[in-house]
């Protein structure tokens, strides 16, 4: 499920060149794959938290950055079967992703600050 109006290709094209691979160096070669996994995990969080409805519309929930970070990190770590040595790099990536995703959503007019 994705947010209605969200253009994954445009989002990835916006985020990919802005990532600082030095901050997640062991995983930097996988940046595009990581972005896709992060977007999937982020939308799973939004559905879980009631932020998005099953139709991809805005629900009644609110986006909690800390909860979202933990959810996305845990989801990605489990999907990747990440070991302890990968967790710091993965966390650094998720931190960058969240900032860039917010910038993209804001520019695309998909954020509501209510």
């Amino acid at each position: 499920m994705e947010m209605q109006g969200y253009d994954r290709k445009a989002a990835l094209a916006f985020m990919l060149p802005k990532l600082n691979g030095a901050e997640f160096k062991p995983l930097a070669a996988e940046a595009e794959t990581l972005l896709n996994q992060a977007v999937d995990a982020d939308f799973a969080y939004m559905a879980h938290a009631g932020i998005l409805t099953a139709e991809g519309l805005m629900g009644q929930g609110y986006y909690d950055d800390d909860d979202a970070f933990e959810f996305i990190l845990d989801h990605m770590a489990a999907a990747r079967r990440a070991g302890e040595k990968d967790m710091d790099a993965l966390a650094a990536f998720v931190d960058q992703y969240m900032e860039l995703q917010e910038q993209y959503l804001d520019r695309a007019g998909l954020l509501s600050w209510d």
Side-chain angles (χ1 to χ4, degrees):
M1 176 202 19
E2 288 194 359
M3 176 186 302
Q4 284 195 5
Y6 186 82
D7 183 336
R8 184 183 288 246
K9 277 182 133 174
L12 296 181
F14 173 81
M15 290 186 267
L16 196 55
K18 291 174 175 53
L19 287 170
N20 180 356
E23 291 185 15
F24 58 97
K25 192 170 185 144
L27 305 173
E30 301 175 65
E32 189 168 354
T33 299
L34 290 169
L35 279 174
N36 274 298
Q37 291 173 343
V39 169
D40 290 342
D42 200 5
F43 285 124
Y45 166 75
M46 288 187 227
H48 172 77
I51 298 157
L52 290 179
T53 66
E55 297 80 29
L57 300 172
M58 297 309 286
Q60 298 300 313
Y62 72 96
Y63 197 93
D64 181 296
D65 287 341
D66 293 334
D67 286 347
F69 178 88
E70 291 300 324
F71 187 99
I72 294 167
L73 182 61
D74 291 348
H75 187 86
M76 289 181 71
R80 299 176 60 76
R81 294 185 175 95
E84 280 300 311
K85 65 180 180 61
D86 295 327
M87 291 306 289
D88 287 343
L90 197 54
F93 168 82
V94 171
D95 191 50
Q96 284 187 56
Y97 159 77
M98 289 183 69
E99 179 67 31
L100 292 170
Q101 176 76 313
E102 182 178 315
Q103 289 174 22
Y104 173 76
L105 291 172
D106 191 39
R107 288 176 190 216
L110 296 171
L111 277 186
S112 172
W113 297 101
D114 295 339

